């Protein structure tokens, strides 16, 4: 009995050490029509590779992660267009999320973005 409990505990510890760490940032407010190239947040990881995931099909059109981990605006953001095309999770606040994979899956970063007028 003790051996089976120890083996189960060992499996749980080993499985949790091999999983991806998930980090959620606080909500970032971005004004619509912010200039292209504006940095909205920096993910501070030295020497890391960053991949912006395209979950809803538009994230990579409007945002990009630069080599140092800065998330910048690629195209002008129109809040009303986002609302009409249902890209926002909440219509009253126009909230969306950016999902960034760091170092081939070792970390996963979620950044909530609130588009304001």
């Amino acid at each position: 009995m003790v051996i089976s409990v120890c083996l189960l505990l060992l499996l749980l510890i080993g499985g949790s050490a091999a999983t991806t760490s998930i980090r959620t940032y606080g909500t970032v407010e971005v004004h619509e029509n912010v200039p292209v190239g504006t940095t909205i947040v920096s993910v501070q990881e030295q020497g890391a590779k960053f991949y912006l995931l395209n979950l809803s099909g538009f994230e990579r059109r409007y945002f990009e992660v630069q080599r140092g981990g800065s998330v910048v605006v690629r195209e002008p953001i129109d809040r009303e267009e986002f609302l009409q095309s249902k890209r926002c999770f909440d219509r009253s606040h126009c909230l969306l999320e950016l999902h960034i994979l760091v170092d081939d899956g070792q970390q996963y970063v979620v950044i909530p973005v609130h588009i304001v007028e």
Side-chain angles (χ1 to χ4, degrees):
M1 178 72 176
V2 174
I3 294 174
S4 61
V5 171
C6 288
L7 286 174
L8 181 61
L9 184 60
L10 197 71
L11 285 172
L12 287 173
I13 292 171
S16 66
T19 59
T20 301
S21 70
I22 299 172
R23 187 169 53 172
T24 302
Y25 277 65
T27 302
V28 177
E29 287 194 355
V30 176
H31 291 275
E32 68 175 335
N33 299 322
V34 68
V36 172
T38 301
T39 300
I40 61 169
V41 68
S42 290
V43 180
Q44 298 295 327
E45 298 293 331
Q46 294 294 339
K49 295 177 186 173
F50 302 93
Y51 304 97
L52 178 62
L53 302 178
N54 199 23
L55 300 177
S56 299
F58 78 98
E59 290 92 342
R60 292 167 78 196
R61 177 177 171 196
Y62 290 96
F63 304 97
E64 75 176 327
V65 182
Q66 294 182 330
R67 184 171 235 181
S70 297
V71 179
V72 298
V73 176
R74 287 184 72 177
E75 277 194 32
I77 297 171
D78 183 0
R79 184 176 188 271
E80 286 73 27
E81 177 187 328
F82 278 21
L83 289 170
Q84 288 175 357
S85 60
K86 298 180 181 173
R87 292 182 173 155
C88 303
F89 292 130
D90 183 348
R91 290 189 52 81
S92 62
H93 297 294
C94 195
L95 186 67
L96 53 103
E97 289 182 343
L98 300 178
H99 297 261
I100 300 170
L101 202 59
V102 182
D103 280 340
D104 298 328
Q106 293 178 6
Q107 286 187 6
Y108 188 79
V109 178
V110 178
I111 304 171
V113 178
H114 178 202
I115 307 297
V116 295
E117 293 184 57

